Amino acid sequence: MRCSGLREYVYRLLRYYGGLLSRHGYVAGHGGNLSLRSGGSIYITRHGARLEDLRPDDVIEVPLEGPSSLDAIASSEILLHRAVYLNGAQHLAIVHTHSLYATAASYFLDELKPLDVESAYVLRSIPIVEGPAGSAKLAERVAEALKDHHAVVVRGHGVFTAAKVMDVAYRYACLVERSAMLWFLVETLKAQGLSQREVKEL
Amino acid sequence: MKAWRGKCLVVDLTRGLIKTASLPRRLLESFMGGRGLGVKLVYDLAPRRVDAYHEDNVIVLSTGPLTGTKFYGSHRFAVVSKSPLTGTIFDSSCGGEWGSQLKAAGLDALVIRGRAKALSALIIDEGEARMVNVEHMAGLSTVEAEAQLQRDLGREFRVVCIGPAGENLVRMACIRAGEGHVAGRGGLGAVMGSKRVKAIAVRGSKSLEVHDEEKLRNLCLLAFKRLQSNPITGKALPSLGTSFLLRLINEHRMLPAYNYKQPFFEGSHEISAEIFKSSFYKRRKGCPNCPIACKRLVEVDGVEGSQPEFESLWALGPACGLSSPKELIELTWLCDKLGLDTISTGATIACAMELTELGLLRPGVGWGDSEAMKKLLVDVANRRELGDLLAEGSRRLAERLGKPEVSMNVKGLELPAYDPRGVYGQALAYATSNRGGCHLRAYMVAGEVLGVPVLLDRRDPVGKAELVAFYENFFAAIDSMVVCKFLALELDEEVFAEALKAATGLPFTKASLLEIGERIYNLERLFNVEEGFSRVHDTLPERILCSPDAPPLSDMLKAYYAVRGWSEEGVPSEDKLIELGLPGERVEV
């Protein structure tokens, strides 16, 4: 595919953040996807692409209003990305990771309440929803959740975050995983018999 | 025997004999059905080095063990013969309902040899067969011939037939099996024409016994879920049909335009799937019991018909510099009626357009001239004027005008819509294909572009030889079951082996399935070797090989022959033939 102008910029940006997410271990293999909205288009990573090493061919441009021929090779979550961009919240960037702790927590919770100051301040709460990957049902639920939240966890699947810019969506993804790790550690310590002290003002 | 009938109908047109023959269980287990059975029958029954139009050539129409079962995509059949276009052995897979009707008539296959004295139709009614004179149907289009036979015999008859192109021995004549279904490539319609068989109508109502109906049903449930979750079989094909590929392939700069002179078409948006959907779409249509239902009906000026498939769109569109969707619909419908393979016909016209541009063809045909193309199609089908030259296919046309390099073919078969300069695995698959420039022997575009089952680096030659050989074997098995190849975009060999096990009760495994595929592929190769084909024919057009981004074909070929266990000349080794039990016990019918 031709890679010049805006497309070249998008490619570099997605490659950069794909690399960061991979180094954190939030995505591995062919997992996860990223997208940006610009004008009437969505630039999304390709189905089967490796976020840790994106190639120019791995960025697919599809129309925002869709569907289109190019949906066939876009991430299989293209329906979901489109639904989020069209949910009225004016999001311009989406990150989807397969973060381990957040996914583990999703088996036990309906909502993840961040315990640390920064995450609680930024994310407030993280809803957990269900639905088959790639389905219209899941797209609808995630799009609805991301109207009023920065992040959502899909049970047994992973994290979706949305923001105005990719760097912020990336930051949300990091905070979700940090929240889940912290929840896990606190719950583990509690299970060891330690008593939890409430933080008065979060 | 479950899932098979164990019988074939043998028709000797010269002697006017029709008889039913048994198909030994061992033969069916070794070659399954469809393509494999057809290849074995043609290999054993047709003499080598005779012209495809010679009365001794044999044409086989065959079903497989899954044909007529409740498994998805299984109403298909295969047509196999020596091709008049390529001189190789040739099979063509076809959808619709003819295959399942033949099976319901109590037959696995139909073997036709000899030549009828007059234009004839073969009528098979519940296994009882007779030849009838249909001289009055000479020159009828495929649509007219089907309609007339169904009027005369009953609408429940399913008909395969040829149009004027087949009757006039046009080397790219196809066989039509109802609206939207053709055995398109290789000129097998002309082989039918050479035998003076206009049509074969079949009706059957015999139920088919399978080993484990419930297991087959459960496999369908599993397959349904997987097919729905696949972006191609679950979304793109059901919502846009195969034409979704046009823009996608163009975006990769792999859509060859103007007879492969450039790897992209500037007018691709005008003939995209989106345009067909917004301006012409009427409704979806599919083969019986298919969860994908990739076919679509469109309407033009109040007339309804099939939406052109991607390859047809490309061959008559970008390859010829044409970007009018309405004209493209009309051109493909015209090809269908005349009984012409859209790919080879479009590519041959594209070749003629370039020859015209070079000043070698007068009066010729200009790029994108749809009116001239329509006239030319009729002239090709009737072998009139310039059409008579084109009726020989692009290779013979270009050779005759002293410019063989202008024909974009492999082994005489015109290349389809994927420019091999952008996909190295597909390039190797084109070069090694037993039936010439074909994308369906090993559809490497699936992995190299569509990313199913996994995304491959399309310009990386490493490992492509192994993958091409794997898919050639796998698809030979698929074509022999017989099921639709689109299923293989999601389902793996394990699912198909389980389906075969459920249908036949035999212990099919992934390995045995692939071994059957390998056996079939090697027998095809053996046929071609005996016809004089060798390494020099496993190549690509000069225009591809001389371009700066040419695939490293020579190195890939060397690796491929090693993987296959063939000599450096591309001949199956003695050890390989013994391992696969080839050529096997000669079939006598």
Side-chain angles (χ1 to χ4, degrees):
Chain A
M1 286 190 200
R2 280 163 294 173
C3 200
S4 56
L6 179 63
R7 195 188 178 90
E8 168 74 19
Y9 170 79
V10 170
Y11 162 62
R12 285 190 195 170
L13 193 75
L14 297 187
R15 181 179 165 80
Y16 175 71
Y17 283 101
L20 288 184
L21 293 167
S22 171
R23 284 201 285 281
H24 287 306
Y26 297 170
V27 292
H30 296 163
N33 45 65
L34 301 171
S35 77
L36 282 176
R37 169 183 167 180
S38 178
S41 295
I42 299 171
Y43 295 88
I44 186 165
T45 50
R46 189 185 192 118
H47 172 68
R50 281 177 287 126
L51 293 196
E52 64 196 86
D53 184 26
L54 285 176
R55 299 165 305 165
D57 265 9
D58 293 335
V59 178
I60 309 297
E61 182 184 355
V62 296
L64 178 61
E65 300 290 340
S68 85
S69 304
L70 276 295
D71 283 12
I73 53 168
S75 159
S76 54
E77 300 290 1
I78 178 61
L79 277 183
L80 186 154
H81 285 246
R82 195 173 270 132
V84 171
Y85 287 129
L86 294 172
N87 74 354
Q90 305 293 313
H91 294 305
L92 296 175
I94 297 172
V95 167
H96 169 47
T97 67
H98 288 176
S99 316
L100 276 176
Y101 284 85
T103 308
S106 74
Y107 290 110
F108 300 93
L109 304 170
D110 291 323
E111 181 189 28
L112 177 62
K113 279 276 195 193
L115 298 172
D116 69 298
V117 176
E118 186 191 4
S119 305
Y121 175 75
V122 174
L123 298 176
R124 298 185 304 278
S125 77
I126 306 155
I128 293 171
V129 301
E130 287 186 348
S135 69
K137 200 53 132 185
L138 181 63
E140 193 184 305
R141 287 173 185 159
V142 170
E144 185 60 31
L146 289 176
K147 272 184 185 174
D148 303 316
H149 298 85
H150 298 310
V152 57
V153 181
V154 178
R155 185 164 288 132
H157 182 172
V159 176
F160 285 90
T161 66
K164 291 280 184 293
V165 293
M166 182 54 74
D167 193 56
V168 175
Y170 161 72
R171 181 191 177 202
Y172 293 158
C174 295
L175 290 177
V176 171
E177 186 61 351
R178 179 183 161 77
S179 301
M181 286 173 82
L182 197 57
W183 172 83
F184 174 80
L185 289 171
V186 168
E187 291 297 318
T188 306
L189 293 172
K190 272 163 67 180
Q192 295 297 316
L194 294 176
S195 60
Q196 186 183 358
R197 290 169 197 272
E198 291 294 323
V199 180
K200 296 249 170 34
E201 290 176 22
L202 271 184
Chain B
M1 205 175 332
K2 305 276 174 65
W4 284 290
R5 298 295 191 186
K7 284 183 193 165
C8 75
L9 192 74
V10 184
V11 181
D12 188 328
L13 296 161
T14 306
R15 297 181 192 174
L17 295 175
I18 301 177
K19 68 170 183 177
T20 305
S22 294
L23 293 168
R25 186 186 177 120
R26 192 180 154 84
L27 170 72
L28 295 172
E29 287 179 17
S30 300
F31 292 92
M32 252 192 306
R35 172 177 162 189
L37 177 62
V39 166
K40 176 64 173 158
L41 290 169
V42 170
Y43 183 89
D44 284 352
L45 301 176
R48 280 318 84 79
R49 308 255 182 177
V50 298
D51 190 84
Y53 295 146
H54 193 280
E55 65 180 287
D56 287 346
N57 189 21
V58 169
I59 185 166
V60 176
L61 293 88
S62 48
T63 65
L66 291 184
T67 308
T69 67
K70 292 199 166 55
F71 195 69
Y72 293 140
S74 60
H75 286 254
R76 304 180 72 85
F77 65 101
V79 188
V80 185
S81 188
K82 180 178 179 180
S83 161
L85 189 64
T86 64
T88 63
I89 196 156
F90 209 101
D91 74 283
S92 194
S93 178
C94 187
E97 295 175 58
W98 192 90
S100 46
Q101 279 293 308
L102 186 73
K103 198 83 175 274
L107 296 165
D108 289 317
L110 175 59
V111 179
I112 303 175
R113 56 182 9 157
R115 178 176 294 133
K117 290 188 175 67
L119 194 65
S120 308
L122 175 62
I123 316 296
I124 304 169
D125 193 355
E126 301 289 359
E128 295 295 316
R130 65 185 197 276
M131 295 297 299
V132 294
N133 182 310
V134 292
E135 278 292 342
H136 59 285
M137 286 172 64
L140 286 191
S141 75
T142 54
V143 178
E144 291 165 336
E146 181 193 18
Q148 181 155 336
L149 279 170
Q150 286 186 328
R151 256 197 318 272
D152 295 347
L153 300 168
R155 289 195 59 78
E156 63 278 18
F157 272 86
R158 291 291 169 266
V159 177
V160 293
C161 63
I162 58 171
E167 290 177 50
N168 294 314
L169 308 190
V170 173
R171 290 186 193 270
M172 50 235 181
C174 68
I175 299 170
R176 185 178 183 271
E179 180 66 47
H181 301 289
V182 290
R185 307 220 67 193
L188 301 185
V191 176
M192 239 172 101
S194 74
K195 301 197 170 302
R196 296 191 186 126
V197 175
K198 176 75 177 174
I200 306 166
V202 61
R203 175 171 68 176
S205 61
K206 295 181 176 67
S207 61
L208 181 69
E209 195 185 352
V210 296
H211 171 70
D212 191 341
E213 192 85 56
E214 193 182 340
K215 189 175 174 197
L216 207 54
R217 205 169 24 245
N218 288 338
L219 276 169
C220 280
L221 288 175
L222 168 82
F224 181 77
K225 280 186 192 159
R226 287 183 57 177
L227 290 166
Q228 290 291 304
S229 68
N230 181 293
I232 311 298
T233 55
K235 293 195 181 83
L237 286 171
S239 67
L240 296 168
T242 54
S243 59
F244 83 91
L245 286 160
L246 198 118
R247 267 188 63 201
L248 195 156
I249 297 300
N250 199 51
E251 284 282 318
H252 287 76
R253 294 176 85 80
M254 278 171 47
L255 189 78
Y258 303 98
N259 197 35
Y260 268 81
K261 289 207 295 181
Q262 61 187 52
F264 66 95
F265 185 52
E266 61 281 359
S268 72
H269 281 264
E270 295 163 53
I271 52 172
S272 65
E274 287 83 347
I275 294 292
F276 282 98
K277 189 166 187 175
S278 62
S279 306
F280 302 98
Y281 176 71
K282 284 293 287 182
R283 60 196 155 89
R284 269 174 82 189
K285 189 174 170 260
C287 294
N289 191 32
C290 178
I292 302 173
C294 64
K295 306 278 179 195
R296 306 166 75 73
L297 291 176
V298 291
E299 186 182 296
V300 174
D301 298 335
V303 183
E304 209 174 270
S306 296
Q307 178 177 311
E309 302 291 344
F310 164 60
E311 295 288 347
S312 306
L313 274 180
W314 165 78
L316 295 158
C320 295
L322 178 64
S323 59
S324 159
K326 183 169 176 285
E327 295 294 329
L328 278 171
I329 291 173
E330 289 175 356
L331 284 163
T332 51
W333 286 359
L334 186 55
C335 281
D336 199 27
K337 287 175 186 163
L338 295 167
L340 287 166
D341 168 30
T342 49
I343 301 179
S344 279
T345 305
T348 301
I349 293 175
C351 174
M353 286 171 167
E354 187 171 343
L355 290 166
T356 304
E357 190 177 63
L358 292 169
L360 296 170
L361 203 59
R362 289 199 188 93
V365 54
W367 298 112
D369 185 346
S370 59
E371 285 309 310
M373 287 170 75
K374 283 179 193 165
K375 179 182 180 305
L376 200 46
L377 290 182
V378 177
D379 288 346
V380 168
N382 291 287
R383 282 192 170 272
R384 289 191 305 235
E385 304 167 15
L386 177 60
D388 190 32
L389 261 181
L390 270 67
E392 292 293 294
S394 70
R395 180 176 65 181
R396 289 173 174 84
L397 168 72
E399 280 173 358
R400 181 153 173 189
L401 297 178
K403 275 277 181 190
E405 67 274 19
V406 174
S407 167
M408 301 303 293
N409 78 83
V410 173
K411 301 186 182 87
L413 187 71
E414 287 75 15
L415 284 177
Y418 308 98
D419 193 321
R421 286 168 285 206
V423 269
Y424 289 0
Q426 191 62 57
L428 180 64
Y430 283 152
T432 58
S433 160
N434 282 337
R435 68 174 201 176
C438 162
H439 57 297
L440 294 172
R441 302 295 86 178
Y443 187 54
M444 293 298 291
V445 170
E448 292 183 307
V449 178
L450 302 180
V452 290
V454 290
L455 185 61
L456 305 170
D457 185 335
R458 61 192 172 101
R459 288 204 172 90
D460 182 355
V462 178
K464 294 291 168 69
E466 286 82 354
L467 285 171
V468 167
F470 169 83
Y471 280 109
E472 284 171 345
N473 296 344
F474 184 29
F475 284 5
I478 296 251
D479 285 337
S480 306
M481 294 174 193
V482 181
V483 293
C484 177
K485 284 197 192 71
F486 284 158
L487 298 181
L489 292 173
E490 170 59 33
L491 308 179
D492 52 27
E493 59 274 28
E494 189 158 4
V495 178
F496 292 112
E498 286 297 314
L500 283 168
K501 209 154 77 174
T504 64
L506 298 172
F508 279 100
T509 61
K510 279 164 66 170
S512 67
L513 189 74
L514 292 171
E515 187 187 314
I516 292 171
E518 188 181 10
R519 181 177 299 118
I520 294 163
Y521 210 84
N522 275 271
L523 188 62
E524 290 172 347
R525 185 72 181 190
L526 203 55
F527 181 101
N528 289 346
V529 168
E530 291 170 11
E531 289 286 335
F533 287 88
S534 67
R535 182 189 177 115
V536 293
H537 301 96
D538 289 343
T539 188
L540 292 167
E542 191 181 302
R543 182 165 295 169
I544 305 296
L545 291 178
C546 294
S547 74
D549 46 1
L553 184 62
S554 181
D555 289 344
M556 287 197 293
L557 259 184
K558 197 173 164 191
Y560 174 83
Y561 290 154
V563 169
R564 278 271 176 220
W566 295 352
S567 73
E568 287 182 4
E569 280 305 298
V571 179
S573 67
E574 200 61 38
D575 287 349
K576 179 53 73 178
L577 295 179
I578 290 168
E579 177 192 324
L580 296 170
L582 289 176
E585 200 177 317
R586 191 180 167 81
V587 179
E588 302 287 347
V589 286

